[in-house]
Amino acid sequence: QVQLTESGGGSVQAGESLRLSCKASGSKYLKSLICAMAWFRQVAEKDREGVAFWDDVSGPRYVDSVQGRFTISRDNAENTVALQMDNLKPEDTAVYYCAARRCSSRDYNEWGQGTQVTVDS
């Protein structure tokens, strides 16, 4: 079992910043079980959108809408992944989910419970 726990969401004004954190736990084999981590976001009744991705081979990758504003980082030693969100815009408002991809899967299949980010104009 792998559990992902997000923190750091909140309400901010446009142009401000937030930093989301996610910690993976539940297995002593996390370093071998997880090959990539990412942040997704979802607005009610819409599909989840991949926002920022990290894997140990290719490093960070971002969706165009957050390129240059968001930065994903991972601390393998502490089994955490963070998302620094700068210059937030109202359209960034969503529930943000931490995700992990097991090495045995091609898809992200481990999910946190989500943390709300609200950006007011």
Side-chain angles (χ1 to χ4, degrees):
Q1 297 290 327
V2 177
Q3 291 83 45
L4 303 176
T5 304
E6 304 102 334
S7 62
S11 297
V12 298
Q13 299 295 313
E16 296 182 342
S17 299
L18 283 173
R19 184 176 179 88
L20 306 182
S21 295
C22 172
K23 183 174 179 61
S25 61
S27 174
K28 59 182 178 181
Y29 307 113
L30 287 175
K31 289 181 174 62
S32 61
L33 285 173
I34 297 174
C35 281
M37 299 189 74
W39 288 93
F40 287 69
R41 65 187 180 188
Q42 184 175 24
V43 179
E45 301 183 7
K46 295 184 178 180
D47 293 337
R48 286 188 185 181
E49 174 191 33
V51 175
F53 304 84
W54 174 274
D55 68 62
D56 291 336
V57 176
S58 59
R61 179 171 60 87
Y62 305 93
V63 69
D64 287 345
S65 60
V66 308
Q67 184 75 45
R69 299 187 297 116
F70 290 10
T71 303
I72 187 171
S73 60
R74 184 181 179 190
D75 187 335
N76 290 340
E78 297 184 2
N79 298 310
T80 60
V81 63
L83 186 67
Q84 178 67 40
M85 303 184 293
D86 296 324
N87 192 24
L88 283 161
K89 302 177 179 180
E91 51 264 42
D92 295 320
T93 295
V95 177
Y96 283 72
Y97 295 89
C98 178
R101 178 176 63 80
R102 290 177 177 265
C103 297
S104 58
S105 176
R106 293 183 176 89
D107 301 318
Y108 286 88
N109 52 10
E110 301 286 347
W111 299 91
Q113 65 182 11
T115 184
Q116 177 70 46
V117 171
T118 301
V119 184
D120 297 319
S121 61

